[in-house]
Amino acid sequence: MRTIRLTVNGKAVTAAVEPRTHLADFLRETQLLNGTHLGCEQGVCGACTLLIDGAPARSCITYALACEGAEITTIEGLDDDEVTRELRAAFSREHGLQCGYCTPGMLVTARDIVTRLPEADERRVRLELSGNLCRCTGYVGIVRAVCAVLDARRRNGVAPEPARRPLGPVGSGHAQPISSTELRGSTTVAPSTVVAPTDEPTGPTTGTAAARSGPGTVLRQSFTVDHPRERVFAFFGQLDEVVACMPGAALTEAPRNGHLRGRLRIKLGPIAADFTGEAEIERDPASHRGVIRGRGRDSRTSSTAIGEVSYVLVEERAGAATRVDIEVDYALRGALAQFSRSGIVNDLAERLTTAFARNVEARLSGGADSWNEAAAPRPELDAGSLILSVLRTRIRRFLDRLLGR
Ligand code: FES
Ligand code: FES
């Protein structure tokens, strides 16, 4: 736990928080400010938008710790704000809301448009509002409401607010860095679930155990291959072979003295990340364990990743098969960090492990992995469809709850 001091709706607040606590959770759970809504929890829908030092920000992907010394304004803190009052009246008049779930975030963004862009026309209003999703009203009434407030203020000659810093990464900039020890200390995981031993060889099987989001996210995965432990351990020592089994990964230099350089390509919808980095490897033949410590950077999205992958090989089926238990402990920073919410990370890790297990099994059996290198270049890891499937599942669950199914 770390202590933070910040101002929330004009009041000084001091509180102890876990480094992984998001600002929205902090405000809703410890300050009981439930006007900040959570929709996607991935920085996409805008329901959680509030003001940090006067700038709109997604509180679901902002760590509370990053707001040390900041002034936070939630929708509750805008009760007496003149612009928000005008917007509230216009939203009611123009039918700019139905269920109201998106409304707090819409109002915060709309207030920003009115104060920052007093000359905005309808096209600009639509563009600026495009980061806030409404699932029931449609946008006609909302856009009409914002335009009505802008028109009224122009007619009345209301002076625009003084310029403020441009939109960009949020956080007060006063926060202390978080040490890696703290990150690790903040992470506790549920006991690992592993694939149950079977009597029949079934090819590689995988299982997911636990996933946590936030800095120091820990994932545990297991899979079983139908080969003896010594053979699997020897295979894991051939780094070029192991890297070749990982979707999107490639070596950029031949490994030397337990050190490797490589790259990992990931596609997340419109974002294509190309991480380059390096890693050190340690292996212990006595315990059949290994650990890989690596770090990488994607210059296109300015995202960085640091992580540790450890594995242990366990004999199964009287030595005929080997279970590989993997633990990944990583922190992702930058634009891609918004995708580190547990649902997506869990599914992504499961998909990765399944592909990796299949390819390890294929190579151990003397075949090629599932990509035909001669026919086509190795594909990057496309997580975009995965994110959509996670969102689809959440919407389906929400509708099921709503309709009592
Ligand atoms: S809940 Fe934060 S953007 Fe959707
Ligand atoms: S009014 Fe229901 S989500 Fe926008």
Side-chain angles (χ1 to χ4, degrees):
M1 296 283 252
R2 282 260 296 259
T3 301
I4 51 166
R5 288 170 196 80
L6 68 172
T7 306
V8 179
N9 296 335
K11 273 196 237 147
V13 171
T14 302
V17 293
E18 294 274 12
R20 63 172 177 269
T21 305
H22 287 90
L23 182 59
D25 294 336
F26 170 73
L27 293 169
R28 289 175 58 87
E29 288 166 17
T30 72
Q31 307 301 304
L32 304 182
L33 293 167
N34 296 324
T36 298
H37 289 173
L38 283 166
C40 65
E41 299 187 61
Q42 293 159 34
V44 176
C45 74
C48 65
T49 308
L50 44 63
L51 299 175
I52 299 180
D53 291 338
R58 308 287 210 224
S59 56
C60 70
I61 52 170
T62 302
Y63 291 117
L65 264 191
C67 299
E68 169 81 31
E71 287 207 17
I72 310 296
T73 309
T74 67
I75 191 68
E76 292 92 341
L78 294 171
D79 265 0
D80 299 324
D81 175 73
E82 182 191 317
V83 180
T84 312
R85 208 168 31 226
E86 290 171 27
L87 283 163
R88 279 200 304 266
F91 268 57
S92 301
R93 210 171 46 239
E94 304 291 346
H95 307 291
L97 73 157
Q98 284 186 52
C99 77
Y101 202 84
C102 68
T103 310
M106 283 286 182
L107 285 171
V108 172
T109 304
R111 180 188 180 278
D112 179 66
I113 297 169
V114 171
T115 52
R116 183 168 51 92
L117 302 165
E119 299 305 325
D121 58 9
E122 184 188 322
R123 198 165 152 271
R124 185 65 191 263
V125 168
R126 284 184 177 275
L127 178 73
E128 296 284 329
L129 273 178
S130 60
N132 288 70
L133 306 182
C134 173
R135 69 188 164 205
C136 50
T137 302
Y139 301 92
V140 174
I142 296 171
V143 171
R144 220 168 29 215
V146 179
C147 288
V149 173
L150 280 165
D151 286 345
R153 292 174 78 80
R154 281 194 288 257
R155 270 198 314 277
N156 297 332
V158 180
E161 287 205 344
R164 61 161 166 73
R165 68 183 164 84
L167 297 180
V170 294
S172 67
H174 310 306
Q176 297 296 310
I178 306 166
S179 72
S180 56
T181 317
E182 264 182 307
L183 293 181
R184 255 186 281 286
S186 76
T187 306
T188 51
V189 295
S192 174
T193 304
V194 293
V195 177
T198 58
D199 292 332
E200 296 300 322
T202 54
T205 49
T206 61
T208 308
R212 299 290 307 271
S213 60
T217 299
V218 173
L219 298 171
R220 284 179 181 165
Q221 296 266 318
S222 295
F223 64 90
T224 303
V225 286
D226 295 329
H227 297 273
R229 184 165 65 174
E230 291 306 330
R231 173 141 168 62
V232 179
F233 191 72
F235 177 83
F236 273 39
Q238 297 167 254
L239 296 176
D240 47 347
E241 290 280 321
V242 174
V243 170
C245 292
M246 181 62 73
L251 286 174
T252 51
E253 269 179 30
R256 242 185 326 175
N257 303 328
H259 185 91
L260 66 82
R261 286 179 190 276
R263 72 198 312 169
L264 179 66
R265 289 200 170 112
I266 306 176
K267 196 164 184 310
L268 293 152
I271 302 174
D274 187 355
F275 281 91
T276 51
E278 53 191 327
E280 288 81 42
I281 292 114
E282 285 170 25
R283 283 159 49 82
D284 177 18
S287 59
H288 296 91
R289 289 172 186 274
V291 59
I292 303 161
R293 295 186 187 87
R295 62 234 143 249
R297 182 166 200 282
D298 171 50
S299 50
R300 276 186 282 183
T301 61
S302 294
S303 299
T304 57
I306 179 164
E308 192 172 295
V309 180
S310 44
Y311 63 84
V312 58
L313 308 184
V314 182
E315 284 189 323
E316 293 207 333
R317 297 204 296 272
T322 303
R323 191 183 76 226
V324 182
D325 293 342
I326 303 175
E327 184 174 294
V328 182
D329 184 353
Y330 75 94
L332 196 55
R333 300 237 164 91
L336 292 179
Q338 65 180 274
F339 295 104
S340 58
R341 301 297 293 199
S342 60
I344 285 178
V345 171
N346 239 342
D347 289 358
L348 185 57
E350 201 169 318
R351 180 181 277 198
L352 262 175
T353 308
T354 304
F356 181 70
R358 198 174 55 229
N359 294 329
V360 169
E361 176 74 44
R363 286 187 177 241
L364 280 167
S365 303
D369 58 28
S370 50
W371 295 301
N372 181 346
E373 298 275 6
R378 186 175 296 275
E380 60 204 353
L381 176 65
D382 188 347
S385 56
L386 187 61
I387 290 169
L388 283 177
S389 84
V390 170
L391 288 176
R392 268 199 297 270
T393 307
R394 286 180 185 197
I395 289 167
R396 203 168 41 239
R397 273 197 219 125
F398 170 77
L399 287 175
D400 285 349
R401 273 205 312 275
L402 198 68
L403 301 172
R405 293 196 295 233

